[in-house]
Amino acid sequence: MKVKSLLAILIVLLLAACGPIIGSGMVASNGVKDFTVVEGQLTDLQAGSRILIVAPFAITPESFYICRGEDASVFVDAFNETGLFSADFHMEDRFEDNSALIDKLKKQNPAEIQSKLQLQKAPQYLLTGTVLRRETVAAPAKGVIMKAAYRLEFFDLSTDKTTVIEIDVQDMFQACIRTAVKEMTKRIAG
């Protein structure tokens, strides 16, 4: 009887440990998977510059919105927290295509954008983005892991130069964009 009880307890403990073990294995590979400069030069982006992020980011058939405008908003917070850029956020209509607005802003000078959008300082760059891919999966006993790939287009408002970065990242849902920004900080600010 004691052996059967001990064996039953041992089996229950082993089964209970499977979730945390599997979850730990799943998060072990978190981090930036790929970082590519698709267009322009990374050296054209100066740490500490003022940027205006236009939301919502575009999506592809392989991605989806968590909440329209959330990706851009979290990038603003992460840039400001790390000090990589001084970022502002603008979203006119969360349900409309914002490509016409982006084209219009690219034709304006920084002072006009500052005045029109009532920003404290004139932006040096306009940042738009596309969520290329996104998937989420539950890691037992750890939380939700998000795998996402972003295309970030930095448009220099004074020189009309464009720098496009594609970054593929996997991390806990709430830390995914911050992980991408930490990698950008290492590569841009040194």
Side-chain angles (χ1 to χ4, degrees):
M1 182 74 164
K2 287 183 181 182
V3 173
K4 287 184 180 180
S5 297
L6 183 60
L7 196 55
I9 292 171
L10 184 61
I11 289 172
V12 168
L13 287 174
L14 285 173
L15 289 174
C18 286
I21 291 169
I22 292 169
S24 294
M26 291 173 76
V27 300
S29 64
N30 282 356
V32 174
K33 303 300 180 189
D34 189 31
F35 186 100
T36 307
V37 179
V38 177
E39 183 181 335
Q41 301 293 322
L42 204 55
T43 54
D44 290 339
L45 302 176
Q46 300 300 313
S49 299
R50 294 178 307 279
I51 63 171
L52 174 64
I53 300 180
V54 179
F57 284 177
I59 57 171
T60 65
E62 292 82 33
S63 66
F64 56 91
Y65 289 116
I66 302 296
C67 177
R68 288 177 70 95
E70 181 178 6
D71 293 295
S73 177
V74 176
F75 268 105
V76 168
D77 292 342
F79 285 145
N80 288 332
E81 286 169 10
T82 61
L84 178 59
F85 299 115
S86 176
D88 280 313
F89 174 88
H90 179 71
M91 183 163 76
E92 278 190 12
D93 188 344
R94 41 182 259 195
F95 298 110
E96 295 293 325
D97 177 22
N98 63 5
S99 56
L101 170 67
I102 292 167
D103 290 341
K104 184 178 173 183
L105 289 172
K106 285 181 176 181
K107 294 175 185 170
Q108 295 177 341
N109 68 49
E112 290 173 324
I113 295 171
Q114 178 186 8
S115 175
K116 180 182 182 223
L117 302 181
Q118 299 177 346
L119 304 173
Q120 289 185 353
K121 294 186 177 182
Q124 296 166 279
Y125 295 97
L126 188 65
L127 172 60
T128 58
T130 303
V131 184
L132 299 171
R133 290 178 301 286
R134 184 190 325 259
E135 71 179 81
T136 57
V137 63
K142 296 296 180 183
V144 176
I145 295 174
M146 184 165 73
K147 298 176 184 178
Y150 297 96
R151 178 181 296 131
L152 303 174
E153 181 181 315
F154 293 84
F155 180 77
D156 189 323
L157 291 163
S158 60
T159 65
D160 292 347
K161 284 185 180 178
T162 300
T163 303
V164 179
I165 298 169
E166 288 186 4
I167 187 162
D168 194 344
V169 64
Q170 171 186 313
D171 208 329
M172 301 311 291
F173 176 80
Q174 65 276 14
C176 201
I177 290 175
R178 284 175 171 75
T179 298
V181 170
K182 285 179 188 173
E183 182 68 21
M184 291 174 65
T185 302
K186 280 195 289 189
R187 292 175 182 249
I188 293 171

